[in-house]
Amino acid sequence: MLSPAKWTTASNPDTFTGDSGAIGSHETCAPFSARPRTNRTICIPRGSSSGSKEDRRALPIGPETPLTNILSKQLSPNLVWRGTPARVPFAGQLNNGRSSAVTPYSTSPGADLGDLGVSAVKSLSPALKSIMATLRQQIATNVLTVTRFRELMKKLRENRPNDDLDLVKRAYEFSQKNHAGQSRASGEPYLVHPLEVGNVLADMKMDAVSIAAGLLHDSVEDTSVTTVEIRQEFGEQVAHIVEGVTKISKIDFSSREEAQAENLRKMMLAMVDDIRVVLIKLADRLHNMRTLEHLDPERQQKIARETLDIYAPIAHRLGMGKIRGELEDLGFKHVDPIGYEQVRVAVESKRKEGEAFMSRVEGVLRDGLKEAGITGRVESRVKRLYSIHKKLLRQRISVDQVYDLYAMRVITNSVQDCYAVLGIIHNLWRPVPGRIKDFIAMPRPNLYQSLHTSVITETGETFEIQIRTEEMHKMCEEGIAAHWKYKDGPVSAEDEQRLAWLRQVVEWQRDVSDPNEFLSTLKVDLYPEEVYTFTPKGKVLVLPRESTPIDFAYSIHTEVGHSCTGAKVNGRMVPLRHKLHSGDIVEVITQPGHKPSRDWLAIVKSTRARNKIKHWLNVHQRERAIEIGKKLIEKEARKYRISLKEIKEADLQRAASEYGLGRPDDLMAGIGYGKYSARQVLAKFAPAGAEPMSDTEEQAASHGFSSVVRRVFGGDSNAIVVRGAGDLLVYRAKCCNPIRGEAIVGYVTRGKGVAVHSVNCPNVTNLLYEPDRRIDVLWAGDKDGQPVSYPVKITLLCDDRFGMLKQITALISDTHTNIRNIEARSQNGQASVDVVLEIADLKHLQKIMDGVRQIPGVHDVQRLQKI
């Protein structure tokens, strides 16, 4: 690696002076080929062991140079070849311990060795060949990193010439020093990664502090460097940003979800103070996604799924359309490679025809603008693959039916021109009803602005046109990074509005302790599909799609939501489960003293409404549970002929501590929820002579009741056990039908035992508003070696063609899987097939779904939770 030292050359010592970090800013060394063929020069850092600080000489390599000097260990750590980046030096044929020539050649296999010849290489001993290979690798590495650093400095100098360039140079040298010897899964030196992150930030036109933090972002996490050292070397701002993007590594988390949730929570809290934290994180994730193919498939899936669920939505929320699009396509490619390839092939098959169509339409549109005297830039684009994929699944259509597969974009000089262009377009082609959207007058929450319209040509082709100004286009592509002027002044009002959602998310998530709930609600917060509604006074409220009047009421005020009893939409009374649409005028009807209902959790869509309802229910249900717990204890106490008042507070506290609880009220609530047995708790306080029911009687009674419950609710006593408990009533919830291998969670119900849900079950988020009723469960081993099968329903979206059903059933049969039921429906050349299978575990199901997905004409395969 390069060391932070001074450099010079033998042929012209004055051609380059300055720090090694500034190599990118001085193109003054003569190219390698310009120097005498027999007198090549390797640059040695001033002050290194090869050239004393006083003489500061470079080491010439000529016919009389001993090979031992060339291969000396003191060269390799600090060596930089001053020449064309693609070519490096090679010591020539041995002649009594001296090299006869040095010739530059490419580092690629089979490169031309020039005068040296292949025989010269063969004459070297294996040990010398190994040393030379290491030397070439070091030179190539230095060329690569120095080249990328030059590009970074060039971008920074062009975009922000007044910034502190020295800060970036020092950060580069610091990162280079501490990442020395580390490499990535691709085999590249680790230093390449922070340099690529820095280049992405430079492309965003970020400031020197951001780029310095980008170069240092992995130093604390992956080296022995501490945040204190960063603060001492580079100041408080850089240290704060690096700390924000550093994962929490000193705490042992109980699950991967908990670690992920806490790292995201930490990052979002840091984002509130300095948005540059998330911009660096996005740049980091973008380069990681570009090189994801070097990791094992399991890690590829995990990282790609997190990117689609968290980081691409964050980029969308910040209005960074360009980065969001690339993250989504890269994530899609690794999460669903088969689906990705199907969509790519379908789009490619239409590309040639589509480009010809768009070229023709573009000409017509340019002529229309010219005739009207409007100056504008006309562009065309193909919809991104992940966006196409989502639309195909959501609308259950084929690629041929995607309206906006191809789109035109007109970029004008003013807002007035945007609306004028819209009129011109509607004169040229017929607009599609309901497809005109004005995001200029009503921007999206991420401040995206544009006019959208879909039109039909005379020959029946449909395409979309977006109209915006230059400033709107810049904001659409780059979002908050488009005009980020952190050092030039305070954050603008627009940026404050863009970050308002972030502050709300952080506020809502403070009270969410469960990591799975945190992640699921965060995903909803990050990527909502918006509905624009109005109060009777004309105020716009943006809500998630399919929101209800309850969501509307809670968006106004918590008390308005709690006391909501009805609503009028556009002047008409509607039920509370009515779904709102864009443009609806909503009037909320309230009644003092009215309280929220638990049933509301099943119909609300906004996180704010859900959290407020959960909080109210948690407080009031807990009070009810404590009351029930005390009654159960009193009832049980009568059998021992003792009164609850006789039990001292200290004894109750001790009993609560034995159950891992903080207060006696927590113990009473647990009894009330059914999590703990009143008899077991009371036995701790019973008089010495008192005898509770015998174990045999208790087990017999419990077993009889358990059998009845399991028959009624479909319990599987062999498959699932409660962690740390005995023979509790356990059954698989029918809303999600979890199967062996899935992550599961138990929920204590009243009178039915423990309901076991998949952690991905939609109802889990609604149920777990009472954390006291959650209980850990796990899959038990097969009893007597007999595997248990579970009914699972999958649905397929495929082409309606001859032999499709035969191929599907044959593939399922080949996996020795029984088919319980199969139904098929077709419409407009597309078919939907529902199949109920007997599945042993999650791997068995995944094998079948992967196989079916590879059948030609199958577009999507999904598992349905309900049977």
Side-chain angles (χ1 to χ4, degrees):
M1 294 295 178
L2 291 172
S3 63
K6 303 287 184 178
W7 300 84
T8 184
T9 61
S11 56
N12 185 0
D14 298 325
T15 54
F16 184 84
T17 58
D19 294 344
S20 60
I23 288 173
S25 61
H26 296 276
E27 298 286 348
T28 51
C29 279
F32 183 86
S33 57
R35 298 176 186 162
R37 188 173 186 81
T38 57
N39 189 17
R40 301 294 184 246
T41 302
I42 291 181
C43 298
I44 303 302
R46 298 177 178 179
S48 72
S49 54
S50 295
S52 68
K53 191 170 183 179
E54 287 72 24
D55 57 31
R56 295 176 177 174
R57 291 179 294 102
L59 178 67
I61 301 178
E64 302 304 316
T65 305
L67 188 61
T68 51
N69 285 7
I70 300 172
L71 303 181
S72 172
K73 63 180 181 180
Q74 53 193 265
L75 288 183
S76 53
N78 302 312
L79 183 65
V80 168
W81 186 264
R82 279 307 193 199
T84 307
R87 305 180 73 79
V88 296
F90 182 82
Q93 194 171 6
L94 289 174
N95 182 13
N96 295 324
R98 300 181 181 276
S99 60
S100 60
V102 177
T103 306
Y105 73 101
S106 171
T107 56
S108 60
D112 179 18
L113 300 183
D115 300 336
L116 194 61
V118 177
S119 60
V121 179
K122 290 181 178 178
S123 66
L124 291 172
S125 69
L128 289 177
K129 284 182 182 179
S130 174
I131 295 172
M132 295 306 298
T134 303
L135 185 62
R136 289 198 303 272
Q137 183 180 4
Q138 288 180 344
I139 295 169
T141 296
N142 284 340
V143 168
L144 174 64
T145 54
V146 169
T147 301
R148 292 303 287 153
F149 183 65
R150 281 178 177 172
E151 294 171 2
L152 171 61
M153 294 298 292
K154 184 179 179 182
K155 293 172 186 175
L156 182 60
R157 199 174 292 109
E158 290 174 355
N159 297 333
R160 306 182 76 99
N162 297 325
D163 277 14
D164 183 4
L165 303 183
D166 184 64
L167 179 69
V168 178
K169 295 174 189 174
R170 289 190 291 113
Y172 168 69
E173 292 165 2
F174 189 89
S175 180
Q176 179 189 62
K177 173 184 174 183
N178 288 284
H179 287 299
Q182 295 180 342
S183 61
R184 307 191 81 219
S186 62
E188 292 179 323
Y190 199 94
L191 184 62
V192 171
H193 174 61
L195 278 171
E196 291 297 334
V197 170
N199 272 278
V200 172
L201 294 168
D203 290 335
M204 294 184 198
K205 299 181 174 59
M206 297 302 294
D207 62 337
V209 171
S210 303
I211 295 175
L215 292 171
L216 299 166
H217 77 278
D218 275 338
S219 297
V220 175
E221 191 174 323
D222 295 328
T223 73
S224 59
V225 174
T226 63
T227 308
V228 175
E229 293 177 64
I230 299 286
R231 185 174 289 106
Q232 290 172 347
E233 290 282 340
F234 303 99
E236 181 61 38
Q237 279 194 0
V238 174
H240 175 73
I241 297 172
V242 171
E243 172 67 17
V245 298
T246 301
K247 291 179 183 176
I248 303 171
S249 57
K250 302 294 186 293
I251 301 173
D252 293 327
F253 294 106
S254 59
S255 66
R256 185 179 67 84
E257 288 78 12
E258 184 180 356
Q260 183 186 24
E262 289 308 313
N263 282 316
L264 286 169
R265 203 191 301 259
K266 175 176 179 281
M267 183 188 73
M268 297 187 73
L269 287 171
M271 282 167 59
V272 173
D273 295 332
D274 195 332
I275 194 64
R276 291 176 293 186
V277 169
V278 77
L279 298 181
I280 292 171
K281 196 67 181 177
L282 290 173
D284 172 48
R285 181 52 60 106
L286 183 60
H287 183 245
N288 283 335
M289 291 300 296
R290 288 172 177 171
T291 57
L292 199 60
E293 67 274 4
H294 299 290
L295 300 181
D296 60 82
E298 185 178 348
R299 288 192 65 198
Q300 287 182 15
Q301 279 276 334
K302 182 174 78 71
I303 294 172
R305 172 51 60 194
E306 184 183 52
T307 299
L308 290 178
D309 289 345
I310 304 294
Y311 292 100
I314 286 176
H316 169 69
R317 273 292 202 161
L318 296 174
M320 303 170 71
K322 194 173 178 181
I323 287 182
R324 166 211 164 190
E326 187 175 355
L327 286 174
E328 286 182 338
D329 282 355
L330 290 169
F332 176 35
K333 181 179 180 180
H334 293 284
V335 166
D336 185 5
I338 298 172
Y340 175 87
E341 190 61 22
Q342 287 178 341
V343 174
R344 189 191 66 79
V345 169
V347 172
E348 285 297 324
S349 66
K350 298 172 65 66
R351 183 176 293 277
K352 191 172 181 181
E353 172 190 345
E355 287 176 351
F357 166 71
M358 296 306 291
S359 178
R360 187 173 70 252
V361 168
E362 192 174 324
V364 174
L365 186 53
R366 288 182 193 278
D367 292 341
L369 295 178
K370 187 176 180 180
E371 186 178 335
I374 294 177
T375 303
R377 192 167 84 250
V378 181
E379 301 174 348
S380 60
R381 65 114 175 108
V382 179
K383 193 176 180 71
R384 284 195 172 270
L385 297 183
Y386 185 65
S387 298
I388 295 171
H389 174 71
K390 287 199 301 183
K391 180 161 282 194
L392 297 182
L393 297 185
R394 186 172 63 248
Q395 300 183 5
R396 291 185 171 262
I397 56 177
S398 65
V399 173
D400 296 327
Q401 297 169 289
V402 177
Y403 275 138
D404 54 350
L405 179 61
Y406 302 104
M408 301 293 299
R409 186 178 293 143
V410 182
I411 302 172
T412 67
N413 295 328
S414 67
V415 174
Q416 290 82 355
D417 286 349
C418 290
Y419 288 100
V421 170
L422 182 66
I424 293 169
I425 290 168
H426 288 172
N427 281 331
L428 292 172
W429 301 288
R430 294 191 307 276
V432 177
R435 297 283 301 173
I436 303 171
K437 299 175 183 177
D438 187 350
F439 294 115
I440 293 180
M442 294 181 62
R444 284 176 172 165
N446 63 3
L447 300 189
Y448 171 87
Q449 287 184 291
S450 188
L451 294 175
H452 290 198
T453 182
S454 294
V455 295
I456 305 174
T457 65
E458 299 81 359
T459 52
E461 294 105 331
T462 304
F463 66 100
E464 185 184 63
I465 301 179
Q466 301 170 357
I467 312 161
R468 60 181 72 136
T469 64
E470 286 283 0
E471 178 64 20
M472 292 174 190
H473 180 62
K474 191 177 180 183
M475 292 297 296
C476 170
E477 293 290 306
E478 302 174 29
I480 198 169
H483 55 86
W484 181 254
K485 304 292 184 184
Y486 195 90
K487 290 192 69 176
D488 303 332
V491 180
S492 66
E494 290 81 4
D495 286 339
E496 282 291 350
Q497 184 180 343
R498 193 188 301 276
L499 295 177
W501 69 271
L502 174 62
R503 293 185 172 87
Q504 291 175 354
V505 168
V506 171
E507 178 188 345
W508 297 339
Q509 305 301 342
R510 285 186 193 279
D511 299 326
V512 180
S513 57
D514 181 72
N516 290 303
E517 184 181 358
F518 174 83
L519 293 173
S520 61
T521 54
L522 180 62
K523 292 169 189 176
V524 174
D525 288 334
L526 288 177
Y527 221 156
E529 297 181 359
E530 296 90 6
V531 172
Y532 296 82
T533 57
F534 296 87
T535 67
K537 293 185 177 181
K539 181 182 178 181
V540 179
L541 293 180
V542 184
L543 301 170
R545 183 173 292 183
E546 298 186 347
S547 288
T548 65
I550 300 173
D551 296 287
F552 186 93
Y554 276 104
S555 68
I556 296 172
H557 194 275
T558 301
E559 288 305 319
V560 175
H562 285 345
S563 58
C564 173
T565 57
K568 288 183 179 180
V569 176
N570 301 325
R572 294 186 305 164
M573 287 294 297
V574 296
L576 290 178
R577 61 177 62 250
H578 174 81
K579 294 178 180 177
L580 301 176
H581 300 90
S582 288
D584 284 347
I585 301 174
V586 185
E587 181 182 351
V588 179
I589 300 172
T590 61
Q591 179 180 332
H594 187 267
K595 302 301 180 186
S597 166
R598 177 180 172 181
D599 296 334
W600 287 4
L601 289 172
I603 60 176
V604 296
K605 298 296 180 184
S606 65
T607 302
R608 177 181 173 83
R610 186 181 304 278
N611 285 346
K612 295 299 182 183
I613 296 168
K614 282 182 180 180
H615 178 72
W616 190 92
L617 290 173
N618 193 22
V619 171
H620 290 78
Q621 292 277 4
R622 178 179 170 80
E623 292 173 358
R624 175 65 176 156
I626 292 172
E627 184 181 342
I628 293 173
K630 288 180 178 179
K631 288 182 178 179
L632 289 173
I633 283 284
E634 287 177 357
K635 182 179 177 182
E636 196 66 30
R638 293 192 197 104
K639 298 178 183 179
Y640 290 91
R641 293 182 177 83
I642 60 174
S643 171
L644 189 60
K645 295 179 181 178
E646 297 176 11
I647 303 174
K648 298 178 180 178
E649 186 72 18
D651 292 334
L652 285 173
Q653 180 65 50
R654 178 170 46 80
S657 300
E658 290 179 11
Y659 283 96
L661 303 174
R663 297 180 302 166
D665 279 355
D666 296 334
L667 180 61
M668 294 302 164
I671 296 170
Y673 287 133
K675 200 170 182 179
Y676 310 117
S677 165
R679 176 172 299 157
Q680 292 175 355
V681 172
L682 198 65
K684 299 177 184 296
F685 313 113
E691 286 292 334
M693 185 186 295
S694 69
D695 292 342
T696 305
E697 294 175 17
E698 186 175 0
Q699 288 174 4
S702 174
H703 180 73
F705 185 51
S706 301
S707 301
V708 173
V709 173
R710 289 194 179 101
R711 285 199 298 271
V712 173
F713 295 105
D716 185 355
S717 59
N718 297 327
I720 303 168
V721 296
V722 177
R723 191 188 300 272
D727 187 24
L728 294 182
L729 309 177
V730 180
Y731 68 95
R732 292 165 54 243
K734 294 191 177 295
C735 56
C736 56
N737 289 295
I739 62 176
R740 184 181 297 276
E742 280 190 280
I744 51 177
V745 60
Y747 186 77
V748 178
T749 60
R750 294 192 177 96
K752 300 179 185 178
V754 178
V756 178
H757 296 262
S758 165
V759 294
N760 297 320
C761 176
N763 287 332
V764 167
T765 304
N766 295 338
L767 290 170
L768 296 183
Y769 66 87
E770 296 177 87
D772 290 338
R773 294 174 69 173
R774 175 175 178 164
I775 194 166
D776 290 335
V777 292
L778 49 85
W779 294 101
D782 296 331
K783 189 173 182 180
D784 300 327
Q786 295 295 322
V788 179
S789 63
Y790 307 91
V792 175
K793 187 174 186 178
I794 62 173
T795 183
L796 295 78
L797 180 64
C798 57
D799 295 337
D800 183 11
R801 63 168 175 81
F802 180 78
M804 175 63 80
L805 206 56
K806 179 183 176 183
Q807 283 185 274
I808 294 170
T809 53
L811 188 142
I812 294 172
S813 178
D814 289 344
T815 61
H816 306 288
T817 304
N818 185 39
I819 299 177
R820 284 195 180 185
N821 185 44
I822 187 167
E823 296 179 9
R825 299 169 297 281
S826 63
Q827 184 178 8
N828 299 328
Q830 297 289 304
S832 177
V833 183
D834 294 337
V835 190
V836 180
L837 308 169
E838 289 185 358
I839 299 296
D841 54 30
L842 193 60
K843 288 183 178 179
H844 182 198
L845 175 63
Q846 196 61 48
K847 181 180 178 182
I848 294 174
M849 292 178 67
D850 289 343
V852 171
R853 195 185 292 271
Q854 296 184 42
I855 297 174
V858 174
H859 305 302
D860 186 48
V861 183
Q862 291 184 350
R863 174 189 174 188
L864 298 182
Q865 301 289 353
K866 290 187 178 180
I867 300 177

